[in-house]
Structures are given as C-alpha cells and as structure tokens.
Amino acid sequence: MTERATDSFEDWLRARLPGRGLRGKAAAVLEVLLSQPRRASFGSAGELAQIAGVNVATVTRTAQALGFAGWPALQQELRARYLSSLSAGQVAAEHRGTGSPSSRSLRRDLDSLALLNRRVDEGALLTIAEAIAGARRTVIVADGSYAAVGLALAHNARLAGYPVAAVTAGDAELANAMSAIQAGDVLIAISFWRLYESTVLAANEARSRGVRVFALTDAASPALAGAAEVVVMVPAEGEAFFPSLTAGMAVAQALVTQLAAVDPARTGASIEAAEAMWAKFALLHRRPTST
C-alpha cells in the first residue's frame, strides 16, 4: 500500500491564507512558521513571538487568520505535519527525554486525552453516528497500527446493531470493498502520521458515488479533507517511533457510545441476540467432548 507525504508546510499554510494574504507583523509570524517548522512545532507562543519580533497576541491573531481558534490548535496540526515528514528513527529521536520512557508515554497519552476532551466537536460525533445509523452499510478504511482503531469501531458498531466493516488488509480488500460501495453508504477514513494514497483514492471515489465520507486524522490533508463531510482532529503523537492509539481509541469509543443512543431499541435487541449466541457458545465450550 503506497504512502504519500503529507502536504508541505508551505503549500498547506499558503492554502489557508485569507484572500488578501497576511501583512506586517502577521506576515513575520508566517515567515517563522515556514522557515523554522521544528521550532514552531515544539515551541510556545511566547517563543514564537520572540523569534518573529512580535507579541503573543499577534501570534494568536495570525493563527485565527489561518482558520484556527488560536495558537494551540494551529500548533497541534503543525506538529503532526512536522512529525509525519520524519522517518521512524527521527520521530524516536525527537522524543528522547529524561525519566522512564513508559512514564513519559503515559503522560503524553493523558495530555492527548485532555486536549481531545477540550477540543472535540461533539456535534461532529453526533453527525457521524447518525450517518452510520441511517446508512445501508458503513465501510471503515484503516491501515497500519491504526487498523486497531478501525477494527474496534467496526466490532462495537456491529454489536450496537449496525452493518459496519473495517477494511484493514491492504489494497486488494479495499478495491473489492470500493467496487460495491454506493449512495446510501458511509465511508470513514482513519489516517494518522502517514497518509496512504489508497485511503485518499477511496475517500474521493466514495464521494463521487454519493457516499457520505468522514475522516478521523491528526493532520487534515487537503486531499483527504476535500472529500470528507466532517473531519475529526485527533491528537496522535506518541513517545516512541510510532503514533499513539489512545486518543483514536477514545474517539472510537465515543462514537459507538453516541451510536448506541441513536436507536436504543435497536441496540438493545442486537445486544440481547448476541448475548444469547454467546451463551450457546459458552455451553459448547464447557461441554465435555466424547472420546
């Protein structure tokens, strides 16, 4: 499955500029973002302001002019894009620090969950849940380590009573799934750190067929975001050479929890049927086999 580099800082930032561009002090902030992506990704608003020769308020206004609520929201995506441009070894090197690696990882995940809780758009999750509930079927496209998020979301959505399948086995499986997708279906693209070309192709093909498309990602590539009705931004930075699954799993859990509330009777009936079948299989496992 082919990976593609995320859009360069310059292409991505310039695409977000207002029609009149940025002038004066805001232009100085933009120049720092373009010329020093690492420092912008890891530094504070105060540090960025000092480098640009402006005050912190100007940094905030520049972020807002680029379409973000403020500097923290802009930096979250800048950092995701910067890390996605690095090799696995370089990502690991960026996260070398003092103290126990396991403790740093736990702290990072706690920080990511706190960030997700502050910034997640609950209306977006409701929109996706209602789309799944009303769809003929839902296809989740996920690969790499984040296939686990897609599998968990699909498994629990089926338990809630909805026809949801995760495509995680590569291009052949994805091509087969896309050949059958049609209007009335939903496609959810899950992509973190490295964006697969096939995921972008699937999202755009689905959109062209009248399918409702949603994306869960840490960096909203225009190629993917352009096909998606809603993009849910999820912090995915880890402390090692791979992204963290924690916040992605939390979003999957939140989505299924919301989905179960759309039609409680349907979900209740589905769970009862599943439990009845579980009981049959449990009896089979406990029954002694004859010799």
Side-chain angles (χ1 to χ4, degrees), residues 131-151:
I132 294 171
R136 183 180 71 100
R137 65 170 183 157
T138 296
V139 174
I140 299 172
V141 181
D143 220 301
S145 59
Y146 265 85
V149 177
L151 289 168

Side-chain angles (χ1 to χ4, degrees), residues 109 144-149 234-238 242-251:
D109 281 345
S145 59
Y146 265 85
V149 177
V234 183
E237 186 175 350
F242 49 85
S244 171
L245 304 176
T246 303
M249 283 293 190
V251 169

Side-chain angles (χ1 to χ4, degrees), residues 6 9 46 57-58 89 92 113 116 125 170 179 198 213 217 228 243 263 266 285 288:
T6 54
F9 272 33
T58 299
L113 288 172
L116 177 67
L125 298 184
S179 68
S198 53
V213 178
T217 184
D263 187 346
R266 177 174 180 169
H285 285 307

Side-chain angles (χ1 to χ4, degrees), residues 125-126 128-130 132 152-153 156-157 160 162 249-264 267 271:
L125 298 184
L126 176 59
I128 298 173
E130 290 179 338
I132 294 171
L153 177 55
N156 287 322
Y162 298 93
M249 283 293 190
V251 169
Q253 290 291 97
L255 268 174
V256 173
T257 301
Q258 186 69 66
L259 180 60
V262 173
D263 187 346
T267 295
I271 292 172

